Amino acid sequence: MSRDYFDRYQYFLADGKFRIVPGIEIPIKGSDKYMQYKRGKDRLDKISQEYYNTPTFGWLILLANPIVGSIEFMIPNNSLLRIPFPLITTLQDYNRNIELYNLYYGE
């Protein structure tokens, strides 16, 4: 699993068509990091770069914080964001939860 690119849509493509990507739960770990989000100053790609050394995992941070909504520019100022950490373990959790989702709801 590369830290530079992770195709989160690969499990939802069948016969050239995309299925709806469900909201997969990212479990809380004792190793997770937390930060206070400053609206107008912070961006998820910059936060991803800071914690994961790549800007491509803003979606993962947003997925780990469903309480703030699903659109970056709607995150309330001063929200406490959970940064799932470490990245590789979090991506393994994500993959495992996708497999469970597909088992329960079909592919």
Side-chain angles (χ1 to χ4, degrees):
M1 225 175 305
S2 172
R3 295 179 64 181
D4 295 325
Y5 183 75
F6 176 80
D7 184 5
R8 64 182 164 145
Y9 300 110
Q10 65 185 327
Y11 303 103
F12 304 101
L13 179 63
D15 299 323
K17 296 181 181 180
F18 279 106
R19 293 184 296 134
I20 293 175
V21 179
I24 300 295
E25 184 176 335
I26 305 296
I28 296 171
K29 299 182 293 304
S31 57
D32 289 347
K33 310 287 184 186
Y34 292 85
M35 60 135 343
Q36 191 170 20
Y37 183 84
K38 297 292 184 190
R39 193 178 208 176
K41 178 181 179 262
D42 291 323
R43 288 192 339 237
L44 293 178
D45 60 331
K46 291 170 67 176
I47 296 168
S48 175
Q49 179 67 44
E50 179 181 342
Y51 287 92
Y52 303 140
N53 295 318
T54 178
T56 60
F57 292 101
W59 64 269
L60 190 62
I61 296 167
L62 199 56
L63 196 59
N65 294 278
I67 194 91
V68 300
S70 61
I71 302 173
E72 180 176 358
F73 66 84
M74 298 292 286
I75 298 174
N77 191 36
N78 295 318
S79 293
L80 185 64
L81 292 185
R82 177 172 66 97
I83 315 300
F85 198 84
L87 177 61
I88 299 302
T89 304
T90 301
L91 291 175
Q92 290 168 343
D93 291 341
Y94 179 80
N95 284 338
R96 201 169 17 261
N97 286 340
I98 288 173
E99 290 171 4
L100 285 173
Y101 177 87
N102 287 334
L103 178 67
Y104 293 142
Y105 301 105
E107 290 189 49

